[in-house]
Amino acid sequence: MNDLGQDLELRLVRYFTVVAAHQHFGRAAADLHVAQPALSRQIQRLEKYLGTRLLDRTPQGARLTPAGRTFLPRAQALLQAARQAELAVREQARTERIVIGYVEDLVITSAVRELRRRHPDAEITTRYLNCEGVGALTDKRVDALIARTPLPLVADDVVTTPLYEEPRMLVVPRDHPLAGRVSVTAEELAGEEEAPCAFETADWASYRILGSGVPPVESYEDKLELVASGGAIAVLPVGDRRSSLRPDLVTVPVEGAPPSRVVLVSRKGDPNPMIGDLRLAAQAVMAAQAVVAAPAS
């Protein structure tokens, strides 16, 4: 225990490792779903606790100090040890439990409610993940994942269950030439250059940002801001209604594009019996959530 009268908080250690991984406070804050000023304060708390500076801000982002480089592998080992301890206890526990990850715009309430109806005494928790956070399934932070395909997961390592499909919609500013169209075709968009993706795939990504010279954009809100400013156009699943909250954007149905597929993914060979029941619950209730067509707005 240090002179602050507190033990070292694992949450602060995790925040530090995420900033170190991104080498940028803004990107780390987006990954952690916390405000950047709050993240900076938490890192300062950790540095005060340790009595040394771990990160230096630079024009490009953040850089580890010598103390930070020394602390980083130990911090990672500490988090790994804590995770292994948690997993060991979980494996010994007799209580039914499952952690369900979900991404982006998806609402999984109906599946969770149905699973709780079938298992009223089980410990069922959910965890929101951003589009780059699907690795939580591989490292066992979640037991199952509900997401849109394609996913950067090795097919032989997972069991994938289709839940439902949705068509696509184009999102453009209100003054865009396509804004007044009843619909557009995939062929009309084929010549548009696509912004760099988080992972390479031969399939249509769930969220496509199109435009010449568009830089990589991380957060969904920044993508919408880029579209609203006229810097790009976007092709999204029709079930994602977040763009409709902005009066400066218009949605137009896209014809001839492959549908966006929502799936449930779990690790192959996972003995958790709750996964099979989640699969049945999700198949029973989530298909009703599929949006058939995107209304022009």
Side-chain angles (χ1 to χ4, degrees), residues 131-135 138 145 148-155 198-201:
C131 61
E132 285 84 30
V134 296
T138 303
L145 174 68
R148 295 184 186 273
T149 62
L151 295 169
L153 300 171
V154 179
F199 53 92
E200 295 297 326
T201 174

Side-chain angles (χ1 to χ4, degrees), residues 153-171:
L153 300 171
V154 179
D156 291 342
D157 295 341
V158 297
V159 177
T160 301
T161 303
L163 297 179
Y164 62 89
E165 296 182 348
E166 291 178 337
R168 313 276 183 149
M169 63 183 178
L170 178 69
V171 180

Side-chain angles (χ1 to χ4, degrees), residues 92-237:
Q92 292 296 321
R94 296 183 181 276
T95 303
E96 292 179 314
R97 64 181 65 197
I98 187 171
V99 181
I100 307 166
Y102 65 102
V103 300
E104 293 293 359
D105 63 301
L106 297 180
V107 178
I108 65 171
T109 308
S110 60
V112 174
R113 183 184 296 121
E114 174 63 16
L115 187 62
R116 285 182 174 142
R117 186 189 67 80
R118 300 183 184 202
H119 295 271
D121 297 324
E123 181 181 324
I124 301 169
T125 57
T126 60
R127 177 172 292 182
Y128 171 87
L129 303 168
N130 63 20
C131 61
E132 285 84 30
V134 296
L137 181 68
T138 303
D139 62 22
K140 300 185 178 180
R141 284 183 286 129
V142 300
D143 301 303
L145 174 68
I146 297 177
R148 295 184 186 273
T149 62
L151 295 169
L153 300 171
V154 179
D156 291 342
D157 295 341
V158 297
V159 177
T160 301
T161 303
L163 297 179
Y164 62 89
E165 296 182 348
E166 291 178 337
R168 313 276 183 149
M169 63 183 178
L170 178 69
V171 180
V172 295
R174 284 196 172 273
D175 58 356
H176 193 277
L178 297 177
R181 294 277 294 274
V182 175
S183 65
V184 298
T185 66
E187 288 75 14
E188 290 178 274
L189 304 176
E192 295 283 352
E193 181 180 343
E194 186 160 5
C197 233
F199 53 92
E200 295 297 326
T201 174
D203 300 323
W204 272 51
S206 298
Y207 296 83
R208 306 185 73 198
I209 304 299
L210 307 176
S212 178
V214 177
V217 182
E218 295 193 3
S219 76
Y220 182 85
E221 292 73 17
D222 286 341
K223 291 175 183 177
L224 290 187
E225 186 61 35
L226 182 64
V227 172
S229 67
I233 59 177
V235 179
L236 311 180

